Amino acid sequence: MTGLTERWQLTGRRALVTGATKGIGWAVADELLALGAEVLIVARNANEVAAAVADWAARGLPATGLAADVSTEAGRTAILAAVQARWQGLDILVNNVGTNIRKKFVDYTTAEYERLFQVNLFSVIEMCRAAYPLLRAASQASVVNIGSVAGRFDVGTGAYYSLTKAAEEQLGRNLAVEWAADGIRVNTVAPWFIRTPLTAGLLAQPEFVDKLLARTPLGRVGEAEEIAAAVAFLCLPGASYITGQCLLVDGGLSAKGM
Ligand SMILES: NC(=O)c1ccc[n+]([C@@H]2O[C@H](COP(=O)([O-])OP(=O)(O)OC[C@H]3O[C@@H](n4cnc5c(N)ncnc54)[C@H](OP(=O)(O)O)[C@@H]3O)[C@@H](O)[C@H]2O)c1
């Protein structure tokens, strides 16, 4: 068992966070940096990647970035090559990229729902497969996948998004068991409504927000920092006996019946 200080810091840990120029991914990268980790961020927009890295560099924080699309094989190959070249190992992998299209079940085109599976689930599966040798090369690695409460209940997000998030949560349990002997912990963080660019459109609709707040015991929308804190906790040495779990960060939503 480590001492108190060691349990609550990530000094020298090497972290890869996908989708980290804005929203939850940016907040996760910022939190890991604040706790002492070195962070490589990934997103598709090269200018936004460069701007985020420059901002952290101006604060003296060791961030680097790469413009790549995790939903393509070429993108994932470039990301893993960058990690291999820079660190030859990986202590923390946060699979954060995800998106949604909200429609009724039969209104999606096949191409639309296949895209959701590609971005939200298959990219996570492929990132885990590709990163495995690098995670195994680290001494106590932690993988955190960003799921959603939609993986547990119908929250009006559309069935296909829910399916991808439910599968992602189960992937976490399977990998936690399979990779435990390699010293790799795998957990999921499942947020409820969080204020990010992805939800800005919905959160601008007062009727939608009223309905949302009425269902949420804490009576407010969550902030990206509140997801980042949960992710960071699961990456800390202090969480060394936690694996295969899904932590719902939901303002009490899942505890509420009537
Ligand atoms: N916000 C919520 O209320 C909420 C609730 C539950 C779960 N979640 C989950 O939390 C995660 C993050 O959501 P968010 O709201 O923070 O999203 P967001 O505001 O849309 O931010 C997405 C980030 O990912 C990057 N990105 C998107 N597609 C990418 C791709 N194919 N390859 C690489 N980077 C990509 C974006 O930059 P580029 O566009 O430049 O690539 C951006 O940096 C998702 O998995 C989402 O399902 C969110």
Side-chain angles (χ1 to χ4, degrees):
M1 185 41 95
T2 49
L4 181 68
T5 311
E6 289 74 31
R7 286 202 294 277
W8 296 98
Q9 65 180 19
L10 294 171
T11 308
R13 300 282 168 133
R14 303 153 298 179
L16 168 62
V17 185
T18 70
T21 51
K22 51 181 87 108
I24 291 169
W26 183 89
V28 168
D30 197 55
E31 195 86 359
L32 298 180
L33 285 162
L35 287 163
E38 291 175 48
V39 179
L40 173 63
I41 66 154
V42 172
R44 290 164 303 180
N45 185 311
N47 291 335
E48 291 181 4
V49 169
V53 168
D55 181 52
W56 280 312
R59 289 158 52 196
L61 296 168
T64 50
L66 181 72
D69 183 341
V70 297
S71 72
T72 67
E73 196 180 332
R76 292 187 295 267
T77 302
I79 296 164
L80 273 300
V83 174
Q84 173 65 39
R86 188 172 182 81
W87 291 323
Q88 301 87 49
L90 188 63
D91 301 294
I92 295 169
L93 168 62
V94 181
N95 286 306
N96 165 72
V97 167
T99 191
N100 197 16
I101 310 164
R102 301 165 75 96
K103 290 186 175 183
K104 295 212 179 300
F105 186 65
V106 294
D107 291 345
Y108 288 80
T109 64
T110 304
E112 281 173 337
Y113 83 70
E114 283 182 354
R115 177 77 190 144
L116 289 183
F117 275 83
Q118 199 64 49
V119 175
N120 293 3
L121 181 61
F122 299 151
S123 73
V124 176
I125 290 172
E126 293 297 341
M127 284 297 293
C128 288
R129 284 161 61 89
Y132 174 63
L134 290 159
L135 293 164
R136 204 176 39 181
S139 64
Q140 292 294 320
S142 172
V143 177
V144 181
N145 297 324
I146 306 300
S148 169
V149 294
R152 292 280 179 93
F153 335 100
D154 184 325
V155 285
T157 52
Y160 302 101
Y161 179 81
S162 294
L163 287 168
T164 64
K165 295 298 184 178
E168 190 181 22
E169 187 182 328
Q170 182 56 33
L171 174 70
R173 285 186 281 267
N174 284 98
L175 291 186
V177 174
E178 195 173 317
W179 290 358
D182 295 310
I184 305 168
R185 295 182 298 106
V186 186
N187 291 289
T188 306
V189 167
W192 177 219
F193 255 91
I194 307 300
R195 199 182 312 280
T196 70
L198 184 67
T199 55
L202 282 167
L203 294 179
Q205 300 170 26
E207 262 182 34
F208 178 85
V209 173
D210 286 349
K211 224 167 82 181
L212 170 65
L213 299 190
R215 293 284 298 121
T216 309
L218 285 181
R220 62 179 177 80
V221 167
E223 302 298 334
E225 295 71 25
E226 294 177 294
I227 304 304
V231 173
F233 166 66
L234 290 168
C235 297
L236 283 163
S240 54
Y241 204 52
I242 303 176
T243 195
Q245 301 304 305
C246 177
L247 179 54
L248 275 66
V249 184
D250 68 355
L253 174 83
S254 54
K256 188 172 154 95
M258 293 237 338

